Amino acid sequence: MTSRKTKPKDDTREEPIKGGDTAPHSHLDHSSLSQNEVTILAETFRLLGDPSRLKILLSCLPGPISVGDIAEKLELSLTLVSHHLRLLRGARLVKGERQGKHIFYAIADEHVSQVLQDMATHIAEDHADD
């Protein structure tokens, strides 16, 4: 993947959200994303569209977990889990840390964690009013 320049973390502003409330949000003009950045974003969502990869990411949410533990928990082969983790690491969605003979994987950063948690909450919400 290509590296991308990011805005300083303290570059926030108040933006209106549903109900007229305001909340600080990272200031990123999404309309100014380059074509390459849009392509990377689309590829990231494509990766998240695979149920096995999504389950692997969700397994990493509580904290670092080994490849073997992921495979056992999800009843997938070590080879398949390793393949998926390689793709997820390439997309900067997970990070791996070697401890002895094992590599433990965790969610790459708070952004990824928040997207997963927010979407899981969204899906679990009662949509009776729809």
Side-chain angles (χ1 to χ4, degrees), residues 35-51:
Q35 182 59 47
N36 186 52
E37 289 168 328
V38 170
T39 300
I40 292 168
L41 185 59
E43 174 66 13
T44 300
F45 281 111
R46 187 191 67 76
L47 286 171
L48 293 173
D50 180 276

Side-chain angles (χ1 to χ4, degrees), residues 10 16-18 24 26 29 33-34 38-39 41 70-71 83 95 107 109 115 124 126 128:
D10 63 344
I17 57 175
K18 187 176 181 179
S26 175
D29 181 3
L33 290 174
S34 71
V38 170
T39 300
L41 185 59
I70 294 170
H83 170 73
K95 59 185 174 185
I107 298 297
D109 62 35
V115 166
D126 181 15

